[in-house]
């Protein structure tokens, strides 16, 4: 029960996640009508009777705009991921910890659920860098981070490279005994790990 202009306005007021490209097809063709349609939120304006090839061309333009929007959103998501990911180890970085840890603590307080935090580092890591070089040290960090990721519950726990060779594991819904078992599992895996 609304006209085209009201529909355009209603769509624009929704603030949906994906952009909606609107072509207004109407018999009104005065300059004031065109301006009113565009101001109401239409992206394009076509008057009746319309030429089918022109409508198709305008639809193709709309598709290009939507594809550009999708591409831009994907690039923004990748930038956001890169901004909270350590580029070497591909685990979360300290910024992610700073932005998300307070939320975990609030959830623990609100729902009275356990939360375990494990912080650890690689013993004698400086010696690896000194004896074998930084490229070898980087390989050790990458393998260690992968071992940590493989040792936790995906989609629940998270690993953060805190700095240098220091890592933090945040384990929601994990009490002290669960944290002890997890860290022992990690310790045993590290002990068995050989890095050439």
């Amino acid at each position: 029960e609304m006209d085209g202009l009201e529909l355009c306005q209603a769509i624009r007021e929704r603030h949906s996640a994906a952009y909606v490209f609107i072509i207004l097809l109407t018999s009104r063709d005065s300059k004031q009508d065109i301006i009113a349609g565009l101001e109401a939120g239409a992206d394009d304006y076509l008057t009746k009777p319309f030429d089918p090839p022109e409508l198709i061309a305008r639809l193709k333009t709309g598709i290009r705009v939507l594809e550009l929007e999708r591409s831009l959103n994907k690039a923004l998501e990748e930038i956001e991921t890169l901004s909270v990911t350590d580029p070497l180890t591909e685990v979360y970085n300290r910024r992610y910890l700073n932005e998300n840890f307070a939320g975990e603590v609030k959830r623990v307080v609100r729902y009275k659920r356990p939360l375990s935090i494990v912080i650890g580092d690689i013993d004698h890591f400086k010696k690896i860098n000194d004896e074998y070089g930084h490229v070898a040290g980087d390989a050790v960090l990458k393998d260690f981070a992968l071992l940590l990721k493989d040792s936790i519950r995906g989609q629940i726990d998270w690993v953060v490279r805190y700095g240098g060779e220091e890592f933090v594991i945040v384990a929601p819904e994990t009490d002290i005994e669960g944290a002890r078992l997890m860290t022992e599992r990690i310790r045993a895996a590290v002990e068995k790990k050989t890095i050439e």
Side-chain angles (χ1 to χ4, degrees):
E1 296 184 7
M2 51 175 79
D3 65 21
L5 298 182
E6 292 170 329
L7 178 60
C8 283
Q9 290 168 339
I11 290 171
R12 293 298 178 231
E13 288 170 3
R14 276 185 31 219
H15 302 293
S16 64
Y19 189 74
V20 177
F21 192 89
I22 301 171
I23 299 175
L24 211 57
L25 184 59
T26 179
S27 58
R28 297 179 178 180
D29 61 353
S30 73
K31 188 170 266 187
Q32 289 81 8
D33 291 324
I34 293 170
I35 291 169
L38 295 173
E39 286 182 344
D43 296 290
D44 206 344
Y45 196 96
L46 200 56
T47 57
K48 299 177 194 172
F50 66 91
D51 181 31
E54 183 181 5
L55 176 60
I56 290 169
R58 290 174 188 251
L59 287 170
K60 286 180 180 177
T61 298
I63 290 169
R64 282 196 306 273
V65 168
L66 295 176
E67 286 172 351
L68 285 171
E69 187 227 6
R70 274 189 222 108
S71 175
L72 178 62
N73 285 340
K74 184 178 178 201
L76 289 172
E77 285 174 15
E78 289 172 2
I79 289 168
E80 177 59 26
T81 299
L82 289 172
S83 74
V84 296
T85 304
D86 176 61
L88 176 66
T89 60
E90 298 180 356
V91 298
Y92 290 119
N93 61 19
R94 198 169 181 161
R95 176 182 173 203
Y96 184 86
L97 179 70
N98 291 343
E99 291 176 355
N100 291 279
F101 186 66
E104 288 290 344
V105 172
K106 285 178 185 174
R107 193 172 62 78
V108 164
V109 170
R110 181 175 183 179
Y111 298 110
K112 298 179 179 20
R113 303 298 304 158
L115 170 69
S116 291
I117 313 302
V118 177
I119 185 164
D121 66 358
I122 302 172
D123 290 342
H124 315 294
F125 184 73
K126 184 179 181 317
K127 185 177 176 183
I128 295 167
N129 277 335
D130 291 346
E131 285 188 28
Y132 301 103
H134 289 280
V135 172
D138 287 351
V140 169
L141 287 170
K142 287 164 80 170
D143 280 2
F144 183 72
L146 183 60
L147 184 145
L148 292 177
K149 281 170 55 174
D150 289 344
S151 300
I152 63 170
R153 300 168 298 174
Q155 309 299 319
I156 299 173
D157 305 335
W158 33 287
V159 178
V160 175
R161 183 174 179 200
Y162 193 69
E165 75 280 8
E166 296 175 319
F167 291 84
V168 172
I169 298 171
V170 178
E173 302 292 328
T174 304
D175 61 15
I176 191 73
E177 180 59 18
R180 189 192 67 74
L181 291 171
M182 176 182 66
T183 54
E184 177 53 28
R185 187 174 60 248
I186 291 169
R187 189 207 58 77
V190 169
E191 186 177 51
K192 291 178 188 170
K193 180 77 174 167
T194 301
I195 301 172
E196 295 294 336

